[in-house]
Amino acid sequence: MSINRRQVIAGTAGLAAATALGGKFGIGNALAQDGIPTFTPEEGASLRLLRWVPFVEAEEEAWNANTKAFTEATGVEVRIDQESWEDVRPKAAVAANIGSGPDMVMGWFDDAHQYPDKLLDLTDLGVALGQAHGGWYEGLEGYARRGDQFIALPLCAIGNAICYRQSHMEKAGFSEFPKDTAGFLELCKALKAQGTPAGFPHGKAVGDANNYAHWLLWSHGGQMVDDQGKVTINSPETLAAIEYAKQLYDTFIPGTESWLDINNNRAFMAGQVSLTANGVSLYYAAKNDPAMAEMAEDIRSVTLPIGPIGKSVELHQTSTLSVFNHTKYPEAAKAYLAFMYQADKMNAWIEGASAYCCQPLKAFADNPVWTSNPIHEPYSHASESLRPNGYAGPLGAASAGVMADYVLVDMFAEAVTGQRSAEEAAANAERRANRYYRV
Amino acid sequence: MSSHSIADQPSVQNRPSVLERIVQSRNGLGFLFMLPAAAFLLCFLTYPLGLGVWLGFTDTSIGRPGIFIGLENYIWLWNDSVFWLSVFNTMLYTVVASVLKFGLGLWLALILNEHMPFKNFFRAIILLPWVVPTVLSALAFWWIFDSQFSILSWVLMELGLISGPINFLGEPNNARASVIAANVWRGIPFVAISLLAGLQTIPQSLHEAAALDGATPWQRFRRITLPLLTPIIAVVMTFSVLFTFTDFQLIYVLTRGGPVNATHLMATLSFQRAIPGGQLGEGAAIAVAMIPFLLAAILFSFFGLQRRKWQQGGRD
């Protein structure tokens, strides 16, 4: 019986997609609607997915509902293990190394590039999904591909944007939010002058500090490496970024050099800072708390200002889904992924995530979540403005190592706290980065 | 039974099997009894340690078996200012925290050794910081040292002693002092209770005799308590130094090595490079680099603090 049900999956999955997309094509032998291959799960298959602990409850509910629908359609049980988001990387790496543990992982950034040989080739699915749904966003696709091969599927960009208090900005004499870095510095100075300063983390905040540091660097035209993987961090552009960071730091609330990921949220919620950058969760923390209603009304969001290079570039968080090749049920895993990327499933999930997760495929950009609340708007551009870490070089152990070792975060922190001059900080970052890019 | 059957076969009468000879010999039996423990040590201590040392000589990264690269990891670390900063931090952290833990622990043990009301209650409560899981106490300290919401800053500000919050974890020296304070708070009970146990083994008659001879309390402490306590101190402080030197959780929760690596210990740096950073070889090299320091600490405790003459109140 279960075999029959399993054989039905492809059909169910395909039919759902077909209904959603208007049934333009007929179902081929091995291809369901829109040319997406179908996969028949192995007999008695069950799967384990390792994912990061959800930040938004409705996101988890939507993901689990989709998973449940998959299990109902195929009979394949999917166990979802959650790990705090910083622990996913080491856990997945160990699973990859020893060849046992979860079958699939919802990982971060360039995780997949640390152990590409241990991952199942998802090229057939990746190419087909891209073609079916308007194409992948370039930055996200970069994280999932190695050459022509998909070693993962891009899942989402977790958007980062400035969250600020409208009333505080107006009080500081600004009617609208500055669009460029120079104007932004003026705003931060004015905010400090009136006792409601800004604050961005210079501590070892995996997400927020890296987002901030990469924006500082890239907005001024600096880059860690060139397209050949040669370290080019010690450049005039980097020095300009550091000088700018120092000026901004002078306007911050004291103590940002010790901030970990949660500190900016705390300080913002307590009204100690009136401007910081974060995911949309910051807004929802205020909105969901009746005592914070007044603050929630006052919060606005905007993309980070554009620097001398003239366009919006940011790191954001990126999540990908990959399948370990030690899985006993590769077909079931691919069937699961194909199911989760069906338009109705993916849209339901993106909607559940309340603007926390930005779509990986362009066709989902018109998801109603982006227009349901003006706060969401800046987060809708995350996948577009996203640039992979280790830009402009190849992704791999080196790019991952440099970020995990906080080379860029430390460079800015060393300079803004006066421990090193801008030149020394850049030279030190160059020395440290060279270590990772030596091979 | 078996001796009968052997006796029935003259050809093997004088030649018991190897196994029998081992079982019947005192040393052989001892060896057999030690085998399980030896196997255990080999599997769970020698092998991981050996593997760690080997990894330190390779460029292994997560997901990619490495090749032997000789001393390259160590040469890189030798020239790496972050590594040397972590060595300095580890030494500072260990020395300052251990001295404070010893001083305060001994003091506490001496107080608890006196007759006072609710003695057992206090002895039990003293253990609390040691009983609470490190991560939980570290999280509590994280709030205590928060740059915006520190209760210490708040109290001092309410008292009008300071105008703004103290930057506990943001300023390098403040951060070092803060993590050391948290470690000392956590480590004192271990030292205090162990030394208290040592104090109770010192015969009361010695103190009474010295008192009758007119020795002052300081003289009794210096000439009786301290020398008789030294063997316990050596053991306790060896353990205390080892725990402190290899501390990880406190730093990881409080600062993750920040600000700008000012509180990175060798253990936290090793983790950062090996697991999130994926450079298993280099992480292992940092861990291996801890071994000489640990050995030095152990040797100092055993050969330094256990010198007989010194214990007996004499000079070298």
Side-chain angles (χ1 to χ4, degrees):
Chain A
M1 183 179 152
S2 61
I3 298 169
N4 289 339
R5 280 170 62 200
R6 227 172 271 129
Q7 283 169 338
V8 171
I9 64 135
T12 324
L15 279 174
T19 325
L21 294 161
K24 278 180 276 183
F25 307 101
I27 298 176
N29 285 341
L31 299 177
Q33 198 59 42
D34 275 350
I36 294 173
T38 58
F39 304 95
T40 311
E42 295 81 354
E43 177 81 22
S46 66
L47 296 167
R48 262 177 75 190
L49 167 70
L50 173 67
R51 67 158 294 172
W52 28 270
V53 173
F55 304 87
V56 183
E57 205 180 322
E59 178 267 301
E60 182 186 17
E61 283 165 10
W63 188 268
N64 290 351
N66 287 348
T67 303
K68 195 168 163 233
F70 172 75
T71 303
E72 279 165 7
T74 62
V76 177
E77 289 291 338
V78 183
R79 180 177 137 192
I80 301 180
D81 297 331
Q82 298 185 351
E83 284 290 342
S84 75
W85 65 296
E86 290 165 58
D87 293 336
V88 170
R89 170 171 281 186
K91 280 264 167 111
V94 170
N97 227 9
I98 61 172
S100 94
D103 302 284
M104 302 172 286
V105 61
M106 193 186 276
W108 294 115
F109 293 112
D110 45 10
D111 281 2
H113 292 262
Q114 295 215 56
Y115 34 78
D117 306 339
K118 315 273 180 180
L119 298 173
L120 197 66
D121 183 358
L122 298 174
T123 310
D124 47 356
L125 195 52
V127 170
L129 284 170
Q131 283 168 355
H133 300 297
W136 301 100
Y137 287 98
E138 195 187 331
L140 283 162
E141 193 178 356
Y143 277 116
R145 274 174 79 148
R146 196 168 181 86
D148 291 334
Q149 191 192 2
F150 276 82
I151 51 174
L153 292 183
L155 177 64
C156 65
I158 293 183
N160 177 59
I162 283 180
C163 296
Y164 65 99
R165 299 279 294 274
Q166 173 77 6
S167 61
H168 293 185
M169 183 187 78
E170 284 171 355
K171 207 171 132 205
F174 286 74
S175 56
E176 66 172 22
F177 201 91
K179 292 204 165 34
D180 61 355
T181 42
F184 180 62
L185 179 61
E186 292 310 311
L187 170 64
C188 290
K189 283 181 181 166
L191 285 171
K192 182 181 185 182
Q194 68 175 15
T196 55
F200 289 79
H202 276 296
K204 302 209 183 253
V206 189
D208 293 332
N210 269 312
N211 274 329
Y212 178 56
H214 282 83
W215 167 74
L216 283 170
L217 180 73
W218 288 340
S219 63
H220 287 79
Q223 53 191 39
M224 186 59 80
V225 289
D226 65 13
D227 56 358
Q228 301 298 310
K230 184 174 171 295
V231 176
T232 54
I233 185 70
N234 196 356
S235 66
E237 291 83 7
T238 303
L239 294 180
I242 293 177
E243 286 308 325
Y244 180 73
K246 283 163 83 169
Q247 290 176 299
L248 262 189
Y249 172 77
D250 288 338
T251 71
F252 290 171
I253 190 169
T256 54
E257 53 284 83
S258 71
W259 277 11
L260 304 183
D261 281 287
I262 193 69
N263 291 77
N264 64 338
N265 301 47
R266 262 192 218 158
F268 190 90
M269 298 297 283
Q272 303 252 347
V273 297
S274 55
L275 187 157
T276 190
N278 208 75
V280 76
S281 53
L282 180 65
Y283 166 74
Y284 276 97
K287 187 165 185 286
N288 295 336
D289 184 350
M292 294 279 187
E294 202 179 321
M295 178 186 279
E297 280 294 304
D298 194 29
I299 296 178
R300 299 288 181 277
S301 62
V302 63
T303 46
L304 273 87
I306 293 173
I309 63 155
K311 64 172 182 175
S312 180
V313 273
E314 280 192 67
L315 177 70
H316 304 290
Q317 305 293 109
T318 318
S319 189
T320 60
L321 279 166
S322 30
V323 183
F324 293 113
N325 57 15
H326 64 239
T327 179
K328 284 192 280 182
Y329 309 112
E331 292 296 305
K334 284 186 184 181
Y336 178 64
L337 295 183
F339 189 85
M340 299 304 265
Y341 279 82
Q342 285 170 19
D344 56 338
K345 305 291 181 300
M346 186 48 88
N347 270 320
W349 180 68
I350 292 169
E351 205 163 349
S354 313
Y356 202 77
C357 301
C358 188
Q359 66 281 342
L361 288 154
K362 290 174 184 164
F364 303 132
D366 55 5
N367 191 294
V369 76
W370 303 122
T371 44
S372 64
N373 186 333
I375 286 281
H376 294 173
E377 202 275 334
Y379 296 99
S380 70
H381 307 301
S383 297
E384 231 175 298
S385 65
L386 180 141
R387 193 183 247 191
N389 68 317
Y391 178 85
L395 290 172
S399 61
V402 165
M403 196 158 88
D405 206 14
Y406 298 97
V407 171
L408 201 58
V409 173
D410 281 352
M411 179 186 82
F412 284 109
E414 281 169 0
V416 300
T417 56
Q419 280 193 21
R420 288 180 200 263
S421 69
E423 290 77 13
E424 286 167 351
N428 192 35
E430 180 184 34
R431 189 187 60 83
R432 289 175 65 185
N434 265 327
R435 164 73 174 167
Y436 290 94
Y437 282 95
R438 73 191 188 282
V439 264
Chain B
M1 281 287 280
S2 61
S3 62
H4 267 289
S5 60
I6 290 169
D8 292 343
Q9 296 169 18
S11 61
V12 290
Q13 188 175 9
N14 297 323
R15 297 174 62 87
S17 75
V18 177
L19 185 69
E20 273 170 333
R21 270 187 287 153
I22 290 176
V23 170
Q24 280 165 15
S25 111
R26 191 180 167 83
N27 288 341
L29 202 60
F31 176 74
L32 272 186
F33 285 150
M34 271 164 44
L35 267 185
F40 199 81
L41 285 177
L42 265 177
C43 288
F44 296 108
L45 276 175
T46 316
Y47 171 69
L49 188 66
L51 186 63
V53 173
W54 164 250
L55 281 176
F57 291 114
T58 69
D59 63 351
T60 308
S61 63
I62 285 175
R64 183 171 62 90
I67 50 161
F68 181 77
I69 53 165
L71 289 172
E72 193 188 308
N73 284 327
Y74 295 95
I75 293 167
W76 153 256
L77 289 174
W78 187 266
N79 297 313
D80 180 15
S81 58
V82 179
F83 170 71
W84 283 112
L85 184 61
S86 80
V87 173
F88 168 76
N89 292 334
T90 312
M91 300 302 283
L92 182 80
Y93 185 74
T94 308
V95 170
V96 176
S98 299
V99 167
L100 287 175
K101 277 189 277 196
F102 172 66
L104 294 170
L106 181 61
W107 184 37
L108 203 59
L110 290 169
I111 294 173
L112 289 174
N113 199 34
E114 297 296 318
H115 293 291
M116 58 176 185
F118 307 114
K119 193 165 63 177
N120 287 334
F121 173 73
F122 283 117
R123 283 182 186 176
I125 215 168
I126 271 325
L127 272 175
L128 275 183
W130 182 253
V131 173
V132 177
T134 312
V135 170
L136 291 187
S137 49
L139 283 172
F141 272 103
W142 193 35
W143 278 100
I144 291 172
F145 295 142
D146 192 282
S147 52
Q148 272 79 44
F149 308 105
S150 162
I151 179 110
L152 296 177
S153 297
W154 183 81
V155 168
L156 293 174
M157 279 158 73
E158 288 293 305
L159 291 175
L161 295 175
I162 53 172
S163 57
I166 301 171
N167 195 359
F168 283 108
L169 299 176
E171 201 277 318
N173 287 330
N174 282 357
R176 289 183 183 124
S178 303
V179 293
I180 287 173
N183 180 279
V184 168
W185 177 85
R186 191 181 145 66
I188 283 178
F190 171 72
V191 177
I193 294 295
S194 308
L195 293 186
L196 178 63
L199 283 176
Q200 293 184 341
T201 63
I202 299 174
Q204 197 58 32
S205 54
L206 288 176
H207 282 287
E208 285 163 5
L212 286 176
D213 289 343
T216 62
W218 170 249
Q219 282 172 323
R220 275 184 280 148
F221 173 74
R222 176 71 187 79
R223 301 287 175 190
I224 299 173
T225 310
L226 208 53
L228 288 174
L229 203 56
T230 312
I232 298 282
I233 292 176
V235 174
V236 169
M237 289 318 293
T238 306
F239 276 105
S240 179
V241 165
L242 295 186
F243 291 151
T244 317
F245 195 89
T246 54
D247 198 3
F248 175 85
Q249 300 174 66
L250 206 65
I251 301 293
Y252 198 68
V253 171
L254 283 179
T255 63
R256 215 157 288 168
V260 205
N261 306 316
T263 60
H264 242 319
L265 302 184
M266 292 167 86
T268 49
L269 187 68
S270 168
F271 174 79
Q272 179 179 307
R273 298 243 166 114
I275 304 299
Q279 311 284 313
L280 285 180
E282 190 179 321
I286 298 173
V288 170
M290 294 168 76
I291 295 175
F293 295 101
L294 289 171
L295 277 179
I298 295 169
L299 293 180
F300 171 75
S301 300
F302 271 80
F303 294 103
L305 292 177
Q306 288 200 331
R307 284 174 309 189
R308 289 255 162 212
K309 271 189 182 173
W310 194 65
Q311 275 178 38
Q312 288 158 5
R315 291 178 187 280
D316 289 323

